[in-house]
Amino acid sequence: MAERLPQASRQRRGKAMTAAAGSAGQAAVPLLLWALLAPGGAYVLDDSDGLGREFDGIGAVSGGGATSRLLVNYPEPYRSQILDYLFKPNFGASLHILKVEIGGDGQTTDGTEPSHMHYELDENYFRGYEWWLMKEAKKRNPNITLLGLPWSFPGWLGKGFNWPYVNLQLTAYYVVTWIVGAKHYHDLDIDYIGIWNERAFDINYIKVLRRMLNYQGLQQVKIIASDNLWEPISASMLLDSELLKVIDVIGAHYPGTHTVKDARLTGKKLWSSEDFSTLNSDVGAGCWGRILNQNYINGYMTATIAWNLVASYYEQLPYGRCGLMTAQEPWSGHYVVEAPVWIAAHTTQFTQPGWYYLKTVGHLEKGGSYVALTDGLGNLTIIIETMSHKHSMCIRPLLPYFNVSQQFATFILKGSFSKIPELQVWYTKLGKPSERFLFKQLDSLWLLDSGGRFTLDLQEDGLLTLTTLSTGSKGSDPLPPRSQPFPRVYKDDFNVDYPFFSEAPNFADQTGVFEYFMNIEDPGEHRFTLRQVLNQRPITWAADAFNTISIIGDYKWSNLTVKCDVYIETPEKGGVFIAGRVNKGGILIRSARGVFFWIFANGIYRVTGDLAGWIIYTSGHADVTAKKWYTLTLTINGGFSSGTLNGKPLWKNVSVNFPKNGWAAIGTHSFEFAQFDNFRVEAIH
């Protein structure tokens, strides 16, 4: 055995066989029972006939897109506490894998993430927050596995087409520069690189990418493909020996715990490279617990990666709160360590990549499943889940009905595990508040006189880890501050000389990229601004709007005044807006409604009820032109709105009956350069 028994465990020997499951004081707590006490299924855990597949880890995705947007704005110590719950070993989720979006300037679910190359001759490896997040993860767990995957790509790669495979060498070069930049500027070693998230793959591109990686001395960087379905990538690999050679891992999304024959025939590692995507309630926790076991049992998947890492984006955006934990209030410091964090801990705190599954894993007679893993040095970790259908449905795919009921299960340790004297026990019970536990350590099980045999009383919706490791712990910090709404009065003058992040706090770009900017020629009050920096539509992943827009604030806001200095950079065709009551974002941004106050370089103003500009409330002449600063003010009160230009009324009492509430926003008429300064919003409740 790799670990010796503590004296306290010996003293527990006499009481380790008490059967009190279901008693009032210990409701639903499973305890060791004599094997003869109750008949039930018997399950052998044995390594005599060799081991199963190598375990590659449990992880999560930051990106796809902008899901960690608000996290960087958190004040200390709360930001570090959140990161500890996610990455610190033997504390919380203790993740083994971090997968990040390679920002491509496009809308990729909840926002846009900036590219390191907006343009062909532009390289900047300090944009966005994924670099920072990877470094924070590595700081806590130096062994964490890092993955990069593009969702969208900057427009210049398409040469006029909405397609990244127009010039294979150019796209491969773009991706490889991201990997090289990660190392050069941040000392980050990227372990795996993907192709194009949930979109078409190009066989020749994958081969070109491998050759370019090798040419750059990046032989150790492995390729995962295709981050979509098992097919057609698996069949393509079986038909093409070179493709088979260059792909290291087949990654599928939302596989429903199952794989396909072709994928297994490749002999490659199989990963659920994106999964979960479910509200982080107890049902989401049940989903997570079930698939972490059954992805291997049913589909031989040796890694499972959750979308997403932390719900750190405005909750009313698509898939709100679909993170392992919730941190969406940097202005208050409030965050919630949700149940999926502790579900992950049942596996991550008691295994490591490089361990092996036993061959003897499977389903329980009355529903649920069990897996067991070993480090080959005498340590054993067993994870048992009994998640019911009702409380473990993931957002996708459809879950066929199954039944789970209370059961007695006898486990028999054989082979090199037969002499294990003691197992530590960690337990989670989801469901009624009176019965609910999250990652609770119970008395350990003493096995010296049992012949490696023990029986468990397994309740429905439970998760149980039995392990030789004694290093697990349920980390905790003082309670974070209470939840507070977004400040009713908020302003930002963007006067930051050396910004730590490229984006201004709390602004969530939905199309386009808004970055801190310094006007070298302007010594006055507009030296530091926020600038929309894209002049070309990206190679899209979602249905990006044709306008650019960044939202901010409280979705519940109804009556408010938005004021901002604006600067149109494009003569004649340029245009900018400020807005209130914006009711949609993310992949739905094209259809956003609200009240939008536009001015254009050709001397026109317009008030519209939607971002696309189809619903025109009023319009007229305004004394505006490009290359000049103006102050716009939009006031919305009840069913009416008014607007001023440089403090003078331009339009007033325009009827606006829909929507009733939404975010504030700024943006541009098209993909064009424009600047914003001295932003201020005041909401009236």
Coordinates of all heavy atoms in Angstrom, one line a residue, residues 1 3-6 8-21 26 29-35 45 380-384 409-413 417-427 440-458 464-470:
M1 N 0.8 -1.2 0.0 CA 0.0 0.0 0.0 C 0.9 1.3 0.0 O 1.9 1.3 0.7 CB -0.9 0.0 1.3 CG -2.1 -0.9 1.2 SD -3.2 -0.3 -0.1 CE -3.6 1.3 0.5
E3 N -0.1 4.1 1.2 CA -0.3 4.9 2.4 C -0.5 4.0 3.6 O -1.2 2.9 3.5 CB -1.6 5.8 2.2 CG -1.4 6.7 1.0 CD -2.6 7.6 0.9 OE1 -3.4 7.7 1.9 OE2 -2.8 8.2 -0.1
R4 N 0.0 4.3 4.7 CA -0.2 3.6 6.0 C -1.4 4.1 6.7 O -1.8 5.2 6.6 CB 1.0 3.7 6.8 CG 2.3 3.1 6.2 CD 2.5 1.7 6.5 NE 1.3 0.8 6.2 CZ 1.3 0.1 5.0 NH1 2.2 0.1 4.2 NH2 0.2 -0.7 4.8
L5 N -2.0 3.2 7.5 CA -3.3 3.5 8.2 C -3.0 4.4 9.4 O -2.2 4.1 10.2 CB -4.0 2.3 8.6 CG -4.4 1.3 7.5 CD1 -5.0 0.1 8.1 CD2 -5.4 2.0 6.7
P6 N -3.8 5.5 9.5 CA -3.7 6.3 10.8 C -4.2 5.5 12.0 O -5.1 4.7 11.8 CB -4.5 7.5 10.4 CG -5.5 7.1 9.4 CD -4.8 6.0 8.6
A8 N -6.2 6.5 14.2 CA -7.6 6.7 14.4 C -8.5 5.7 13.7 O -9.5 5.3 14.1 CB -8.0 8.1 14.0
S9 N -8.0 5.2 12.5 CA -8.8 4.3 11.7 C -8.8 2.9 12.4 O -9.8 2.2 12.4 CB -8.1 4.1 10.4 OG -8.2 5.3 9.7
R10 N -7.7 2.6 13.1 CA -7.7 1.3 13.8 C -8.8 1.3 15.0 O -9.5 0.4 15.2 CB -6.3 1.1 14.4 CG -5.2 1.0 13.4 CD -3.9 0.8 14.1 NE -2.8 0.9 13.2 CZ -2.4 -0.1 12.4 NH1 -2.9 -1.3 12.5 NH2 -1.3 0.1 11.6
Q11 N -8.9 2.5 15.6 CA -9.8 2.7 16.7 C -11.3 2.6 16.2 O -12.2 2.2 16.9 CB -9.6 4.0 17.4 CG -8.2 4.0 18.1 CD -7.9 5.4 18.6 OE1 -8.6 6.3 18.4 NE2 -6.7 5.5 19.3
R12 N -11.5 2.9 14.9 CA -12.8 2.9 14.4 C -13.2 1.5 14.0 O -14.4 1.2 13.6 CB -13.0 3.8 13.1 CG -13.0 5.3 13.5 CD -13.6 6.1 12.3 NE -12.8 6.0 11.1 CZ -11.8 6.9 10.9 NH1 -11.6 7.9 11.7 NH2 -11.1 6.8 9.8
R13 N -12.3 0.5 14.0 CA -12.5 -0.8 13.5 C -13.8 -1.4 14.2 O -14.6 -2.1 13.5 CB -11.3 -1.7 13.8 CG -11.4 -3.1 13.4 CD -10.1 -3.8 13.7 NE -10.2 -5.2 13.4 CZ -9.2 -6.1 13.7 NH1 -8.1 -5.7 14.2 NH2 -9.4 -7.4 13.4
G14 N -13.9 -1.2 15.5 CA -15.0 -1.9 16.2 C -16.4 -1.4 15.8 O -17.3 -2.1 15.9
K15 N -16.4 -0.1 15.4 CA -17.8 0.5 15.1 C -18.0 0.6 13.6 O -19.1 1.1 13.1 CB -17.9 1.8 15.7 CG -16.9 2.9 15.3 CD -17.1 4.2 16.0 CE -16.1 5.2 15.6 NZ -16.2 6.5 16.3
A16 N -17.1 0.1 12.7 CA -17.3 0.3 11.3 C -18.4 -0.6 10.7 O -18.7 -0.4 9.6 CB -15.9 0.0 10.6
M17 N -18.9 -1.5 11.4 CA -19.9 -2.4 10.9 C -21.3 -2.1 11.3 O -22.2 -2.9 11.1 CB -19.5 -3.9 11.3 CG -18.2 -4.3 10.8 SD -18.0 -4.3 9.0 CE -16.4 -4.9 8.8
T18 N -21.5 -1.0 11.9 CA -22.9 -0.6 12.4 C -23.7 -0.3 11.2 O -23.3 0.4 10.3 CB -22.8 0.5 13.4 OG1 -22.2 1.6 12.7 CG2 -22.1 0.2 14.6
A19 N -25.0 -0.7 11.2 CA -25.9 -0.5 10.1 C -27.0 0.5 10.6 O -27.9 0.1 11.3 CB -26.5 -1.8 9.6
A20 N -26.8 1.8 10.2 CA -27.8 2.7 10.6 C -28.4 3.5 9.5 O -28.9 4.6 9.7 CB -27.1 3.7 11.6
A21 N -28.2 3.0 8.3 CA -28.7 3.7 7.1 C -30.2 4.0 7.2 O -31.0 3.1 7.5 CB -28.4 3.0 5.8
Q26 N -29.0 10.1 10.7 CA -28.1 10.0 9.5 C -28.8 9.6 8.3 O -28.5 8.7 7.6 CB -27.0 8.9 9.9 CG -26.2 9.2 11.1 CD -25.1 8.2 11.3 OE1 -24.4 7.9 10.4 NE2 -25.1 7.6 12.5
V29 N -27.4 8.3 4.7 CA -25.9 8.1 4.7 C -25.6 6.6 4.6 O -26.0 5.8 5.4 CB -25.3 8.6 6.0 CG1 -23.8 8.4 6.0 CG2 -25.6 10.1 6.2
P30 N -24.9 6.2 3.5 CA -24.6 4.8 3.3 C -23.5 4.4 4.3 O -22.5 5.1 4.5 CB -24.1 4.8 1.9 CG -23.5 6.1 1.7 CD -24.3 7.1 2.5
L31 N -23.6 3.2 4.8 CA -22.6 2.7 5.7 C -22.3 1.3 5.3 O -23.0 0.6 4.6 CB -23.1 2.7 7.2 CG -23.3 4.1 7.8 CD1 -24.0 3.9 9.2 CD2 -22.0 4.8 7.9
L32 N -21.1 0.8 5.8 CA -20.7 -0.6 5.5 C -21.6 -1.5 6.2 O -22.0 -1.3 7.4 CB -19.3 -0.7 6.1 CG -18.7 -2.1 5.9 CD1 -18.4 -2.4 4.4 CD2 -17.4 -2.2 6.7
L33 N -22.1 -2.5 5.5 CA -23.0 -3.6 6.1 C -22.3 -4.9 5.9 O -21.6 -5.2 5.0 CB -24.3 -3.6 5.3 CG -25.1 -2.2 5.3 CD1 -26.3 -2.4 4.4 CD2 -25.5 -1.9 6.7
W34 N -22.7 -5.8 6.8 CA -22.2 -7.2 6.6 C -22.8 -7.7 5.3 O -23.9 -7.5 5.0 CB -22.7 -8.1 7.7 CG -21.9 -8.0 9.0 CD1 -22.3 -7.5 10.2 CD2 -20.5 -8.3 9.1 NE1 -21.2 -7.5 11.1 CE2 -20.1 -8.0 10.5 CE3 -19.5 -8.9 8.3 CZ2 -18.9 -8.2 11.0 CZ3 -18.3 -9.1 8.8 CH2 -17.9 -8.8 10.1
A35 N -22.0 -8.4 4.5 CA -22.4 -8.9 3.2 C -23.7 -9.7 3.3 O -24.5 -9.8 2.4 CB -21.3 -9.7 2.6
L45 N -14.1 -6.0 -8.3 CA -13.1 -5.0 -8.8 C -11.7 -5.7 -8.8 O -11.2 -6.1 -7.7 CB -13.1 -3.8 -7.9 CG -14.4 -3.0 -7.9 CD1 -14.4 -1.9 -6.9 CD2 -14.8 -2.5 -9.3
L380 N -6.4 2.9 -5.1 CA -7.6 2.5 -5.8 C -8.7 3.6 -5.4 O -8.8 4.0 -4.3 CB -8.1 1.2 -5.3 CG -9.5 0.7 -5.8 CD1 -9.4 0.4 -7.3 CD2 -10.0 -0.5 -5.1
T381 N -9.4 4.0 -6.4 CA -10.5 5.0 -6.2 C -11.7 4.4 -6.9 O -11.7 4.1 -8.1 CB -10.2 6.4 -6.8 OG1 -9.2 7.0 -5.9 CG2 -11.4 7.3 -6.8
I382 N -12.8 4.3 -6.2 CA -14.1 3.8 -6.7 C -15.1 4.9 -6.7 O -15.3 5.5 -5.6 CB -14.6 2.6 -5.9 CG1 -13.5 1.5 -5.7 CG2 -15.9 2.0 -6.4 CD1 -13.8 0.6 -4.5
I383 N -15.8 5.1 -7.8 CA -16.9 6.2 -7.8 C -18.2 5.5 -8.2 O -18.2 4.9 -9.3 CB -16.5 7.3 -8.8 CG1 -15.1 7.9 -8.4 CG2 -17.6 8.4 -8.7 CD1 -14.2 8.0 -9.5
I384 N -19.2 5.6 -7.4 CA -20.5 5.0 -7.6 C -21.5 6.1 -7.7 O -21.6 7.0 -6.8 CB -20.8 4.1 -6.4 CG1 -19.7 3.0 -6.2 CG2 -22.2 3.4 -6.6 CD1 -19.8 2.3 -4.8
A409 N -25.5 -3.1 -2.5 CA -24.5 -3.5 -3.5 C -23.3 -4.0 -2.8 O -22.7 -3.3 -2.0 CB -24.2 -2.4 -4.5
T410 N -22.8 -5.2 -3.1 CA -21.6 -5.8 -2.5 C -20.5 -5.7 -3.5 O -20.6 -6.1 -4.6 CB -21.8 -7.3 -2.1 OG1 -22.9 -7.4 -1.2 CG2 -20.6 -7.9 -1.5
F411 N -19.4 -5.1 -3.0 CA -18.2 -5.0 -3.8 C -17.1 -5.9 -3.3 O -16.9 -6.0 -2.0 CB -17.7 -3.5 -3.9 CG -18.6 -2.6 -4.6 CD1 -19.7 -2.1 -4.1 CD2 -18.3 -2.4 -6.0 CE1 -20.6 -1.3 -4.8 CE2 -19.2 -1.6 -6.7 CZ -20.3 -1.0 -6.1
I412 N -16.4 -6.6 -4.2 CA -15.4 -7.5 -3.8 C -14.1 -7.1 -4.4 O -14.0 -7.0 -5.6 CB -15.7 -9.0 -4.2 CG1 -17.1 -9.3 -3.6 CG2 -14.7 -10.0 -3.7 CD1 -17.8 -10.5 -4.3
L413 N -13.1 -6.8 -3.6 CA -11.8 -6.4 -4.1 C -10.9 -7.6 -4.3 O -10.7 -8.4 -3.4 CB -11.1 -5.4 -3.1 CG -11.9 -4.2 -2.7 CD1 -11.1 -3.3 -1.8 CD2 -12.4 -3.4 -3.9
F417 N -5.7 -5.5 -5.1 CA -6.5 -4.7 -4.2 C -7.1 -5.6 -3.0 O -7.7 -5.0 -2.1 CB -7.7 -4.1 -4.9 CG -7.3 -3.4 -6.2 CD1 -7.8 -3.7 -7.4 CD2 -6.3 -2.3 -6.1 CE1 -7.4 -3.1 -8.6 CE2 -5.9 -1.7 -7.3 CZ -6.4 -2.1 -8.5
S418 N -6.9 -6.9 -3.0 CA -7.6 -7.7 -2.0 C -7.1 -7.5 -0.6 O -7.8 -7.8 0.3 CB -7.4 -9.2 -2.4 OG -6.0 -9.5 -2.4
K419 N -5.9 -6.9 -0.5 CA -5.4 -6.7 0.9 C -5.5 -5.2 1.4 O -4.9 -4.9 2.4 CB -3.9 -7.1 0.9 CG -3.6 -8.5 0.5 CD -4.2 -9.5 1.5 CE -3.7 -10.9 1.1 NZ -4.5 -11.9 1.9
I420 N -6.3 -4.4 0.6 CA -6.5 -3.0 1.1 C -7.2 -3.1 2.4 O -8.2 -3.6 2.6 CB -7.3 -2.2 0.0 CG1 -6.5 -2.0 -1.2 CG2 -7.8 -0.9 0.6 CD1 -7.2 -1.3 -2.4
P421 N -6.6 -2.4 3.4 CA -7.2 -2.5 4.8 C -8.3 -1.4 5.0 O -9.1 -1.6 5.9 CB -6.0 -2.3 5.7 CG -5.0 -1.5 4.9 CD -5.2 -1.8 3.4
E422 N -8.2 -0.3 4.3 CA -9.1 0.8 4.6 C -9.4 1.6 3.4 O -8.5 1.9 2.6 CB -8.5 1.7 5.7 CG -9.4 2.8 6.2 CD -8.6 3.8 7.1 OE1 -7.4 3.8 7.1 OE2 -9.3 4.4 7.9
L423 N -10.6 2.1 3.3 CA -11.0 3.1 2.3 C -11.6 4.3 2.9 O -12.5 4.2 3.7 CB -12.0 2.4 1.3 CG -11.5 1.3 0.4 CD1 -12.7 0.6 -0.3 CD2 -10.5 1.8 -0.6
Q424 N -11.2 5.5 2.4 CA -11.8 6.7 2.8 C -13.1 6.8 2.1 O -13.3 6.3 0.9 CB -10.9 7.9 2.5 CG -9.5 7.8 3.0 CD -9.4 7.9 4.5 OE1 -10.1 8.7 5.1 NE2 -8.6 7.1 5.1
V425 N -14.1 7.5 2.7 CA -15.5 7.6 2.1 C -15.9 9.0 2.0 O -15.9 9.8 3.0 CB -16.5 6.8 2.9 CG1 -17.9 6.8 2.3 CG2 -16.0 5.3 3.1
W426 N -16.3 9.4 0.8 CA -16.9 10.8 0.5 C -18.3 10.6 -0.1 O -18.4 9.8 -1.0 CB -16.0 11.6 -0.4 CG -14.7 11.9 0.3 CD1 -13.6 11.1 0.4 CD2 -14.4 13.2 0.9 NE1 -12.6 11.8 1.1 CE2 -13.0 13.1 1.4 CE3 -15.1 14.3 1.1 CZ2 -12.4 14.1 2.1 CZ3 -14.5 15.4 1.8 CH2 -13.1 15.3 2.3
Y427 N -19.2 11.4 0.3 CA -20.6 11.1 -0.1 C -21.3 12.4 -0.5 O -21.2 13.5 0.2 CB -21.3 10.5 1.1 CG -22.8 10.1 0.8 CD1 -23.1 9.4 -0.3 CD2 -23.8 10.5 1.7 CE1 -24.4 9.0 -0.6 CE2 -25.1 10.1 1.5 CZ -25.4 9.4 0.3 OH -26.7 9.0 0.1
K440 N -19.4 15.2 1.4 CA -19.2 15.0 2.9 C -18.3 13.8 3.2 O -18.6 12.7 2.6 CB -20.6 14.9 3.6 CG -20.5 14.7 5.1 CD -21.9 14.7 5.7 CE -21.8 14.5 7.2 NZ -23.2 14.6 7.8
Q441 N -17.3 14.0 4.0 CA -16.5 12.8 4.4 C -17.2 12.1 5.5 O -17.6 12.6 6.5 CB -15.1 13.2 4.8 CG -14.2 12.0 5.0 CD -12.7 12.4 5.2 OE1 -12.4 13.6 5.4 NE2 -11.8 11.4 5.0
L442 N -17.3 10.7 5.3 CA -17.9 9.8 6.3 C -16.8 9.1 7.0 O -15.6 9.1 6.6 CB -18.9 8.9 5.6 CG -20.0 9.5 4.8 CD1 -20.9 8.4 4.2 CD2 -20.8 10.5 5.6
D443 N -17.1 8.3 8.0 CA -16.2 7.4 8.6 C -15.6 6.4 7.5 O -16.4 6.0 6.6 CB -16.8 6.5 9.7 CG -17.0 7.3 11.0 OD1 -16.4 8.4 11.1 OD2 -17.7 6.8 11.9
S444 N -14.3 6.2 7.6 CA -13.7 5.3 6.6 C -14.2 3.8 6.8 O -14.6 3.5 7.9 CB -12.2 5.4 6.6 OG -11.7 5.1 7.9
L445 N -14.0 3.0 5.8 CA -14.4 1.6 5.9 C -13.1 0.8 6.2 O -12.1 0.9 5.5 CB -14.9 1.1 4.5 CG -16.2 1.8 4.0 CD1 -16.7 1.2 2.8 CD2 -17.3 1.9 5.1
W446 N -13.2 -0.1 7.2 CA -12.2 -0.9 7.7 C -12.4 -2.3 7.0 O -13.4 -2.9 7.3 CB -12.1 -1.0 9.2 CG -11.0 -1.8 9.7 CD1 -11.0 -3.1 10.1 CD2 -9.7 -1.3 9.9 NE1 -9.8 -3.4 10.6 CE2 -8.9 -2.4 10.5 CE3 -9.0 -0.1 9.7 CZ2 -7.6 -2.3 10.8 CZ3 -7.7 0.0 10.0 CH2 -7.0 -1.0 10.5
L447 N -11.4 -2.8 6.3 CA -11.6 -4.0 5.5 C -10.8 -5.2 5.9 O -10.8 -6.2 5.2 CB -11.4 -3.7 4.0 CG -12.2 -2.6 3.4 CD1 -11.8 -2.3 1.9 CD2 -13.7 -2.9 3.4
L448 N -9.9 -5.0 6.9 CA -8.9 -6.1 7.2 C -9.5 -7.4 7.4 O -9.0 -8.4 7.0 CB -8.1 -5.7 8.4 CG -6.8 -4.9 8.2 CD1 -6.1 -4.7 9.5 CD2 -5.9 -5.6 7.2
D449 N -10.7 -7.5 8.1 CA -11.3 -8.8 8.4 C -12.4 -9.2 7.4 O -13.1 -10.1 7.7 CB -11.8 -8.8 9.8 CG -10.7 -8.4 10.8 OD1 -9.6 -8.8 10.6 OD2 -11.0 -7.8 11.8
S450 N -12.6 -8.5 6.3 CA -13.7 -8.7 5.5 C -13.4 -9.5 4.2 O -14.3 -9.7 3.4 CB -14.4 -7.4 5.1 OG -13.5 -6.7 4.2
G451 N -12.1 -9.8 4.0 CA -11.7 -10.5 2.8 C -11.9 -9.6 1.5 O -12.2 -10.1 0.5
G452 N -11.8 -8.3 1.7 CA -11.9 -7.4 0.6 C -13.4 -7.2 0.1 O -13.6 -6.8 -1.0
R453 N -14.3 -7.5 1.0 CA -15.7 -7.5 0.7 C -16.5 -6.5 1.5 O -16.2 -6.4 2.7 CB -16.3 -8.9 0.9 CG -17.8 -9.0 0.7 CD -18.3 -10.4 1.0 NE -17.7 -11.4 0.1 CZ -18.4 -12.0 -0.8 NH1 -19.7 -11.8 -0.9 NH2 -17.9 -12.9 -1.6
F454 N -17.3 -5.7 0.9 CA -18.1 -4.7 1.7 C -19.4 -4.5 1.0 O -19.5 -4.6 -0.3 CB -17.4 -3.4 2.0 CG -17.0 -2.7 0.7 CD1 -17.8 -1.7 0.1 CD2 -15.7 -2.9 0.2 CE1 -17.3 -1.1 -1.0 CE2 -15.3 -2.3 -0.9 CZ -16.1 -1.3 -1.6
T455 N -20.5 -4.2 1.7 CA -21.8 -4.0 1.1 C -22.3 -2.6 1.5 O -22.1 -2.1 2.6 CB -22.8 -5.0 1.7 OG1 -22.4 -6.3 1.2 CG2 -24.2 -4.8 1.1
L456 N -22.9 -1.9 0.5 CA -23.3 -0.6 0.7 C -24.8 -0.5 0.5 O -25.4 -1.2 -0.4 CB -22.6 0.4 -0.4 CG -21.1 0.4 -0.3 CD1 -20.6 1.2 -1.5 CD2 -20.6 1.1 1.0
D457 N -25.4 0.4 1.3 CA -26.8 0.7 1.1 C -26.9 2.0 0.2 O -26.5 3.1 0.7 CB -27.5 1.0 2.4 CG -28.9 1.4 2.3 OD1 -29.5 1.5 1.2 OD2 -29.5 1.8 3.4
L458 N -27.2 1.8 -1.1 CA -27.1 2.9 -2.0 C -28.5 3.5 -2.2 O -29.4 2.9 -2.7 CB -26.6 2.4 -3.4 CG -25.2 1.8 -3.3 CD1 -24.8 1.2 -4.7 CD2 -24.2 2.8 -2.9
L464 N -20.9 8.4 -4.5 CA -20.0 7.9 -3.4 C -18.6 7.6 -4.0 O -18.5 7.0 -5.0 CB -20.6 6.6 -2.9 CG -20.2 6.0 -1.6 CD1 -20.5 6.9 -0.4 CD2 -21.0 4.7 -1.4
T465 N -17.6 8.1 -3.3 CA -16.2 7.8 -3.6 C -15.6 7.1 -2.5 O -15.7 7.5 -1.3 CB -15.4 9.1 -3.9 OG1 -16.0 9.8 -5.0 CG2 -14.0 8.8 -4.2
L466 N -15.0 5.9 -2.8 CA -14.3 5.2 -1.8 C -12.8 5.1 -2.3 O -12.6 4.7 -3.5 CB -14.9 3.8 -1.7 CG -16.3 3.7 -1.2 CD1 -17.2 3.4 -2.4 CD2 -16.6 2.7 -0.1
T467 N -11.9 5.4 -1.5 CA -10.5 5.6 -2.0 C -9.5 5.3 -1.0 O -9.7 5.5 0.2 CB -10.3 7.0 -2.6 OG1 -9.0 7.2 -3.1 CG2 -10.6 8.1 -1.5
T468 N -8.3 4.9 -1.4 CA -7.2 4.7 -0.5 C -6.5 6.0 -0.2 O -5.7 6.1 0.7 CB -6.1 3.8 -1.2 OG1 -5.8 4.3 -2.5 CG2 -6.7 2.4 -1.3
L469 N -6.8 7.1 -1.0 CA -6.1 8.4 -0.8 C -6.8 9.1 0.3 O -8.0 9.2 0.5 CB -6.3 9.2 -2.1 CG -5.6 8.7 -3.4 CD1 -5.7 9.7 -4.5 CD2 -4.1 8.4 -3.1
S470 N -6.0 9.7 1.1 CA -6.5 10.5 2.3 C -6.3 12.0 2.1 O -6.3 12.8 3.0 CB -5.8 10.0 3.6 OG -4.4 10.2 3.5

